[in-house]
Amino acid sequence: MIEHQPVLLEESMRFLQVHPGGIYLDATVGLGGHSYEMLIRSSPDGKVVGIDRDPQALEMAAERLRSFGNRFSSVHGNYAGYCDDTSGEKGGFNGVLIDLGVSSFQLMEPSRGFSFQREGPLDMRMDPTQGQTAFDYLRKVSPEELEERLNDAGEVRFAKKLVPFLLKGIDHWQNTKDLANAISKVLPRRGKSHPATRVFLALRMAVNQELEGLRKFLEHVPDLLKPGGRLVIISFHSTEDRLAKRFFSDVWKTMSVMKRVTKSPVIPGWEERKKNARSRSAKMRVYEKQ
Ligand SMILES: C[S@@+](CC[C@H](N)C(=O)[O-])C[C@H]1O[C@@H](n2cnc3c(N)ncnc32)[C@H](O)[C@@H]1O
């Protein structure tokens, strides 16, 4: 089985103040690394609800957490819609964790189409049971929207130049490698990273409507938490981090619903960054319900 090393594990547990009998929501359960630790630290009677859009990841997490019996329950779906459903533990969580992005399992599975290091279909859906693939998205999207997505989510340089190229070429590219090779002919290399890196990120975020989902979830988070309950957000690039930071100052602070626990983001220590390359861009912010 593919390993996914949970990022900022110790720090996130400490800030969530996980304790026996507590009830926690892991909004992005993935392979269950953070959930496992929550269940250990909330023993003997704490509970964790784990959400994931990816049914395969959820199945693996459920298998890994089986020994905790009914202390763990899983929900398949988008965390953005979790508050629309009125059943369950709503309003009663001591802590909520969001660990954004994709897991190593998703990235390394060629059939999911997230990575151009491995040849795979132009898919990129976190939930392969619904929604449009990256291929469908590129065939239907308007030039204006695509340019905005590349600029905003991917911070892609030369987005204007790339848009007509992507929209014209999409029918010729069969897979992720074809697309990445084509991009590298149009975009100059930026430092060490492949020119397609940010384009793939922007496409993934568009296909999965990631920023829209995060904004919607943040609107509802205060309703999920008990007073004094905490939200921990781990993000991996500036667009998501900025969204959380602005949401706090524009909405929560103004309405006095959540207070900031961490003034500057918490980042992984030297040892974690050395052991887990994926952790290097991680930033964690923590808020508390008033
Ligand atoms: C970085 S991984 C989480 C890893 C997890 N913390 C662990 O320790 O194994 C992110 C997971 O969140 C899921 N995900 C991302 N956006 C989501 C959303 N809007 N709703 C539900 N799940 C989402 C992805 O499918 C992925 O499995």
Side-chain angles (χ1 to χ4, degrees):
M1 177 169 139
I2 291 164
E3 280 292 318
H4 173 90
Q5 291 180 40
V7 170
L8 287 163
L9 184 62
E10 190 54 42
E11 295 86 343
S12 57
M13 295 303 122
R14 186 155 35 84
F15 277 103
L16 279 170
Q17 301 176 318
V18 180
H19 58 81
I23 302 175
Y24 302 92
L25 177 65
D26 185 349
T28 51
V29 71
L31 301 194
H34 287 96
S35 281
Y36 180 88
E37 202 58 32
M38 287 176 186
L39 287 157
I40 292 284
R41 295 185 190 214
S42 65
S43 289
D45 52 351
K47 289 194 172 158
V48 174
V49 177
I51 311 176
D52 209 292
R53 287 174 101 168
D54 183 340
Q56 224 181 328
L58 206 56
E59 217 173 277
M60 289 195 266
E63 182 59 39
R64 178 174 185 186
L65 304 171
R66 194 176 301 283
S67 60
F68 295 99
N70 64 7
R71 290 182 54 214
F72 175 74
S73 50
S74 63
V75 178
H76 174 229
N78 189 333
Y79 61 61
Y82 183 65
C83 315
D84 300 340
D85 163 16
T86 49
S87 59
E89 308 271 4
K90 306 293 151 59
F93 290 104
N94 296 91
V96 172
L97 172 76
I98 324 180
D99 175 19
L100 292 160
V102 283
S103 67
S104 312
F105 152 70
Q106 290 164 321
L107 261 184
M108 289 166 82
E109 174 53 53
S111 67
R112 304 298 296 272
F114 287 112
S115 166
F116 54 84
Q117 311 288 357
R118 295 165 174 79
E119 186 177 300
L122 290 168
D123 191 320
M124 300 192 192
R125 286 170 301 168
M126 287 182 185
D127 183 348
T129 66
Q130 54 179 298
Q132 58 179 354
T133 63
F135 179 76
D136 294 334
Y137 175 77
L138 281 172
R139 290 193 79 192
K140 290 183 195 148
V141 67
S142 69
E144 295 76 23
E145 180 186 324
L146 185 56
E147 189 180 336
E148 199 180 315
R149 295 279 189 178
L150 293 173
N151 277 322
D152 293 355
E155 294 169 331
V156 173
R157 290 190 306 161
F158 309 109
K160 209 173 191 63
K161 180 173 164 193
L162 191 63
V163 167
F165 177 78
L166 289 175
L167 296 182
K168 247 195 240 155
I170 183 61
D171 285 323
H172 304 294
W173 303 316
Q174 305 297 323
N175 57 53
T176 49
K177 279 208 158 176
D178 285 351
L179 175 60
N181 288 338
I183 292 169
S184 67
K185 294 194 180 112
V186 180
L187 291 188
R189 192 171 260 276
R190 188 186 192 180
K192 277 191 204 151
S193 71
H194 191 288
T197 308
R198 286 186 164 268
V199 180
F200 268 59
L201 173 67
L203 285 177
R204 190 202 84 201
M205 292 186 78
V207 164
N208 294 288
Q209 304 262 298
E210 292 178 42
L211 294 175
E212 293 85 342
L214 178 59
R215 193 171 294 112
K216 183 169 176 206
F217 189 68
L218 296 182
E219 278 167 18
H220 293 288
V221 155
D223 303 333
L224 296 173
L225 287 165
K226 286 181 179 169
R230 288 187 168 184
L231 167 70
V232 167
I233 306 178
I234 303 174
S235 63
F236 292 85
H237 56 86
S238 52
T239 324
E240 292 162 336
D241 183 56
R242 219 178 297 132
L243 197 160
K245 209 169 97 178
R246 290 207 181 133
F247 201 89
F248 167 73
S249 49
D250 295 350
V251 183
W252 291 335
K253 193 173 161 199
T254 319
M255 295 168 67
S256 303
V257 282
M258 301 276 280
K259 67 179 184 201
R260 191 171 58 182
V261 177
T262 50
K263 198 163 175 217
S264 339
V266 176
I267 57 168
W270 176 83
E271 224 166 281
E272 179 170 6
R273 294 208 302 272
K274 198 171 116 196
K275 265 200 250 159
N276 181 7
R278 195 180 155 270
S279 76
R280 287 178 200 153
S281 52
K283 281 187 180 164
M284 183 176 90
R285 293 189 186 266
V286 184
Y287 304 95
E288 186 177 296
K289 179 163 171 178
Q290 287 183 296

